[in-house]
Amino acid sequence: MQDPRRSVPRTDVVLDDPRLDLALERLSRAAVKAAVVAALERCRAGDLEPAAVVAAVLESLPPGPAGLRAVINATGVIVHTNLGRAPLSKAAQEAVLTAAGSTDVEFDLETGLRDRRGRGALAALARAVPDAEDVLVVNNGAAALSLVASALADRREIVVARGELVEIGDAFRIPDLLVASGAVLREVGTTNRVHLDDYAEAITDATALVLKVHPSNFVVQGFTASVPVEELAKLPVPVVVDIGSGLLSPQPKLPREPDAKSTLRAGAALVTASADKLLGGPQAGLVLGRSDLVQRMRRHPVARAMRVDKLRLAALEATLSGPTPPVVQALQSDPEVLLFRATAICREVADVVTAEPLRTSAVVGGGGAPDVALQSAAVALPAALAHPLRTGLPAVVGHVSDGRLILDLIAVDPARDATLTSCVRRAARV
Ligand SMILES: *Cc1c(COP(=O)(O)O)cnc(C)c1O
């Protein structure tokens, strides 16, 4: 018998095989080489025929250089934190692509001189909220709060209601962040109730500001009381409000979610928020309000460590100035239209799988409004399809309930219904 090792091809010979040319355009040489080395190892061990090496390499290579895969969010959770929160609008995606190369992020092409970084995004934000004297954009909502603590409190006290010392998710606790950023917390009230007097009595020469945090992800019911911004604004220190979800003006579908415009009009000195929740933009932290306070935050040394990159500045500007982003479209979707779409998808897969259109109840998700149920519709399929759909390209993520896979359409772009349909047909055939 011939020694199998003698017929194992050399690494560079395999790498030169024209069938690997496309892979070498899409992936680094090192990545393809690693796959070749692994296949040759199997070949040496006698697990793989030399003639099958190239095919094995192609099969083992990832579809692209980045591991993140496109997902169709059929979970019925509009802002799904594990799926990257808000999906960007087409306009924002195109803006990201343009900004990805060299771009005039802090350069004035007219004069050829250095310019204010991200002026377009800042101007769009200022236009969207005329009640704000000045605006600032940082890395995320947590960064905005951290900068409030370091630049505005600076080892002095932040007065905050006990019931608003919240944990947002993934063990992220706002009080810990504020303390870590150098503020001293002065808690007032009880878990369920706080009054204006509690705040007033806590304010001393050591007080830097009052912070009001919107409890985005829970609701307290029963014997409760909190102090509205209008009342807090009577206190002799600035009131900073973390509205969380990033609504810039009221959203009729979510009457209990605070928005930047109303909060500033009610007397808040500053509002902080995330850009990738209900605003429907990229991850970013927004700061809006009194110009002296925004200036102090902008000039603080830590601000540089929270600077937002050109890709997100581009996406934010396009979200603010462009067409309605997907999150807002999803919020406004008509349940009858969703049911019509679900019925059409079921009809188109009926020859390969049992599918039933259903009325469902969807949620806003990580964006807030935990007590709001949104009328929606879904395609119900056998639960066995959950895994093949989740691991396909694009991946389709739904949820299993009562032994069935539910693909909720509220957060699915209608333009992707055809793709979703072919994903289901493909998954049903394996
Ligand atoms: C989401 C949220 C945050 C954190 O914002 P990130 O952008 O995730 O850092 C802070 N406060 C509130 C009230 C929130 O809802």
Side-chain angles (χ1 to χ4, degrees), residues 85 140-142 145 168 172 174 213-214 216 242 244 274 276-277:
R85 286 197 183 158
N140 57 12
L145 278 175
I168 297 296
F172 162 51
I174 287 182
V213 181
H214 176 59
S216 301
D242 173 18
S274 301
D276 56 350
K277 295 178 178 173

Side-chain angles (χ1 to χ4, degrees), residues 121-350:
L122 294 169
L125 185 56
R127 264 198 313 277
V129 189
D131 292 279
E133 285 173 14
D134 201 353
V135 297
L136 176 67
V137 180
V138 290
N139 247 322
N140 57 12
L145 278 175
S146 169
L147 196 54
V148 162
S150 27
L152 305 184
D154 190 19
R155 288 176 280 275
R156 292 190 304 140
E157 288 182 4
I158 293 182
V159 177
V160 59
R162 243 180 212 111
E164 295 175 7
L165 294 171
V166 301
E167 177 171 317
I168 297 296
D170 197 24
F172 162 51
R173 293 183 166 167
I174 287 182
D176 295 351
L177 174 80
L178 297 170
V179 170
S181 309
V184 177
L185 290 192
R186 181 71 193 268
E187 299 173 24
V188 294
T190 60
T191 312
N192 56 332
R193 290 175 74 85
V194 64
H195 308 280
L196 187 61
D197 285 350
D198 296 321
Y199 286 96
E201 282 161 22
I203 290 174
T204 65
D205 289 345
T207 310
L209 56 100
V210 164
L211 177 67
K212 185 171 173 66
V213 181
H214 176 59
S216 301
N217 50 5
F218 67 99
V219 188
V220 191
Q221 278 184 336
F223 188 54
T224 64
S226 65
V227 184
V229 178
E230 285 86 347
E231 294 291 306
L232 293 176
K234 295 176 185 159
L235 297 167
V237 293
V239 176
V240 177
V241 184
D242 173 18
I243 60 168
S245 69
L247 285 182
L248 298 183
S249 45
Q251 162 60 255
K253 285 267 169 116
L254 308 173
R256 292 229 283 276
E257 273 304 297
D259 66 277
K261 174 182 162 184
S262 315
T263 308
L264 288 170
R265 286 203 174 168
L270 277 187
V271 166
T272 68
S274 301
D276 56 350
K277 295 178 178 173
L278 296 176
L279 180 63
Q283 180 190 303
L286 311 178
V287 181
L288 307 106
R290 245 170 65 184
S291 57
D292 59 323
L293 302 178
V294 175
Q295 278 294 341
R296 267 165 66 195
M297 290 175 68
R298 184 180 289 124
R299 295 207 181 108
H300 193 275
V302 165
R304 180 62 164 77
M306 299 171 171
R307 188 167 92 162
V308 70
D309 69 284
K310 62 181 180 175
L311 303 181
R312 288 183 290 156
L313 286 167
L316 180 62
E317 182 176 359
T319 301
L320 291 164
S321 312
T324 310
V327 164
V328 182
Q329 281 181 4
L331 270 178
Q332 293 169 345
S333 44
D334 175 347
E336 298 313 317
V337 173
L338 295 173
L339 187 64
F340 182 81
R341 287 169 53 199
T343 309
I345 293 172
C346 288
R347 206 180 310 121
E348 288 185 34
V349 300

Side-chain angles (χ1 to χ4, degrees), residues 53-137:
V53 164
V54 171
V57 169
L58 285 173
E59 195 174 320
S60 71
L61 287 172
L68 291 181
R69 285 214 257 164
V71 172
I72 294 183
N73 173 9
T75 59
V77 179
I78 295 179
V79 180
H80 199 300
T81 301
N82 302 151
L83 299 180
R85 286 197 183 158
L88 295 179
S89 65
K90 285 281 169 306
Q93 293 183 23
E94 280 160 22
V96 168
L97 214 56
T98 304
S102 294
T103 186
D104 56 337
V105 64
E106 48 180 73
F107 187 74
D108 183 344
L109 293 168
E110 190 58 42
T111 61
L113 300 173
R114 185 176 192 280
D115 197 1
R116 186 176 183 196
R117 185 183 173 84
R119 65 201 172 281
L122 294 169
L125 185 56
R127 264 198 313 277
V129 189
D131 292 279
E133 285 173 14
D134 201 353
V135 297
L136 176 67
V137 180

